[in-house]
Amino acid sequence: MGDAVHLRGLIEISNHCVRQCGYCGLRAENANLARYRMSFDEIMECAEEAVRRGYGTVVLQAGEDYGLETDLISDIICKIKRATPLAVTLSLGERPLEEVGIWRSAGADRYLLRFETSDLELYHLIHPQNRREKRHYRIEMLRALKKLGYEIGGGVMVGIPGQTVESLAQDIEVFRELDLDMIGIGPYVSHPDTPLGKGEWVRSIAPEEQASASAEMTYKMIALARCVCPEANIPATTALATIDLAGYELGLRCGANVVMPELTPPAYRSKYQIYPARRSVEDTDPSGPSSLRARLKKIGRFPGIGPGGRHHLYPQEALQ
Ligand code: 5AD
């Protein structure tokens, strides 16, 4: 993918969520979180900021929030696509396929939906609302999103309680099978207001089989994902930078080629508590927000220009 690092402006447009994921602070049942939803105008202001900063993509991310209505999201996509050269990535959860089809027609380019783990038993344990289904719903949805013409992003958390090292290896096989365009990999970070954080919903496995939720294990996963999926866009994630101050730099040196700086207004940002003590790009840098370019330069990298979509470098058969 070369030495360019694509910057994606992350806009966390709502922290409402209908899901009960056992690890996530935004889960519906968490009453210790003040909820917010950004307005159309606030979202557009952030998109304009992305253009001013020279980013090529904005990511509209939220909990699975049906208060963000189909038409509102469509209108935002249309307006951004009309008024700016930005690529638009959605990360809005397991919304019905009909809706994501409408958003694709409105001009959305990409969709992010991490499948968290390909281990079906563990997946169902930590995602209670999908337990009725025999299949892995998010993996199925990624396939459907690809058919709709989206570039698709999947990914996993590293070191979920009950996750084995072997199942992480299997996750990398699934990255390949799905032919992911984007792969997000971050360490699991315990959140005290969630079942997993309280030691509930934990599958017991032999201690030596447990994958470590360490920065080192995350770097290995990024490096292996890069080897197996040479064409994918892979971010150095916020969760990685949260557990390791050098997470962005080392993630990029291990095969990542994307950083996602937050554009969310600070008052909302502090409420987007997926896990505690989340650190954004500027928080990992004592010299402040504008020095990302300088940080990249220090490791021989530079910001990418344009939307930075997937590159097709190899014939399809070569990657299978
Ligand atoms: N630790 C690390 N990552 C988390 N996510 C959610 N909760 C946590 C946590 N406690 C990740 C999931 C989700 C993404 C938006 O954030 O992988 O898909």
Side-chain angles (χ1 to χ4, degrees):
M1 300 296 284
D3 289 332
V5 175
H6 288 286
L7 304 178
R8 322 290 200 199
L10 180 60
I11 315 177
E12 292 141 337
I13 63 179
S14 162
N15 70 351
H16 291 264
C17 192
V18 299
R19 296 277 154 192
Q20 295 289 5
C21 306
Y23 45 87
C24 180
L26 305 193
R27 63 199 307 276
E29 227 167 69
N30 182 11
N32 295 334
L33 182 68
R35 305 282 172 163
Y36 73 89
R37 185 178 295 128
M38 287 171 66
S39 71
F40 184 96
D41 290 342
E42 288 175 318
I43 297 167
M44 283 311 301
E45 274 166 37
C46 292
E48 283 152 20
E49 177 64 15
V51 176
R52 280 193 291 275
R53 294 196 195 178
Y55 301 167
T57 300
V58 277
V59 182
L60 306 179
Q61 186 172 79
E64 193 168 317
D65 174 17
Y66 290 89
L68 296 170
E69 291 174 350
T70 318
D71 292 349
L72 171 75
I73 299 297
S74 289
D75 291 349
I76 293 166
I77 297 165
C78 287
K79 179 90 192 272
I80 294 176
K81 296 302 285 191
R82 226 182 5 239
T84 77
L86 295 167
V88 174
T89 302
L90 302 179
S91 179
L92 302 173
E94 299 170 35
R95 305 277 301 229
L97 286 184
E98 197 193 338
E99 271 190 309
V100 293
I102 292 169
W103 296 335
R104 174 75 190 131
S105 309
D109 301 280
R110 313 184 185 130
Y111 204 101
L112 300 177
L113 181 71
R114 289 200 193 162
F115 56 81
E116 318 298 356
T117 172
S118 62
D119 178 329
L120 200 55
E121 186 188 79
L122 179 61
Y123 179 81
H124 281 151
L125 183 60
I126 63 181
H127 298 101
Q129 285 148 314
N130 285 136
R131 276 181 202 153
R132 284 166 278 116
E133 321 203 10
K134 292 275 170 291
R135 43 204 186 114
H136 195 308
Y137 182 73
R138 292 200 191 171
I139 291 181
E140 302 256 301
M141 182 164 169
L142 283 165
R143 292 203 174 95
L145 288 162
K146 184 156 230 169
K147 286 206 185 99
L148 286 169
Y150 281 100
E151 279 195 17
I152 56 167
V156 297
M157 289 185 292
V158 175
I160 304 166
Q163 185 181 43
T164 63
V165 177
E166 197 180 338
S167 91
L168 280 178
Q170 182 57 38
D171 293 342
I172 293 171
E173 282 296 333
V174 175
F175 297 161
R176 185 212 317 260
E177 264 166 49
L178 288 172
D179 189 29
L180 293 178
D181 303 296
M182 301 167 285
I183 306 172
I185 299 169
Y188 163 76
V189 181
S190 176
H191 188 313
D193 298 329
T194 62
L196 268 90
K198 292 180 182 139
E200 301 156 11
W201 299 15
V202 174
R203 176 169 70 173
S204 62
I205 55 170
E208 66 274 15
E209 285 180 22
Q210 172 66 46
S212 156
S214 64
E216 189 183 4
M217 185 64 97
T218 307
Y219 296 130
K220 289 181 185 173
M221 282 292 289
I222 291 174
L224 289 167
R226 169 56 69 214
C227 294
V228 171
C229 305
E231 298 178 343
N233 279 310
I234 302 180
T237 55
T238 313
L240 181 53
T242 296
I243 66 162
D244 185 353
L245 256 184
Y248 288 117
E249 280 84 354
L250 290 179
L252 290 169
R253 299 188 106 157
C254 289
N257 70 318
V258 168
V259 172
M260 300 170 67
E262 280 177 292
L263 295 171
T264 316
Y268 296 139
R269 205 181 286 180
S270 56
K271 297 192 174 74
Y272 204 78
Q273 288 246 0
I274 298 175
Y275 46 81
R278 237 170 125 242
R279 263 200 302 234
S280 56
V281 179
E282 48 242 61
D283 300 332
T284 60
D285 191 343
S287 54
S290 59
S291 61
L292 187 53
R293 226 166 251 278
R295 283 174 76 178
L296 293 179
K297 198 165 175 204
K298 269 197 199 137
I299 55 168
R301 310 289 279 271
F302 49 86
I305 291 167
R310 174 174 179 172
H311 278 278
H312 286 276
L313 306 166
Y314 301 94
Q316 184 65 29
E317 316 79 74
L319 298 177
Q320 290 303 318

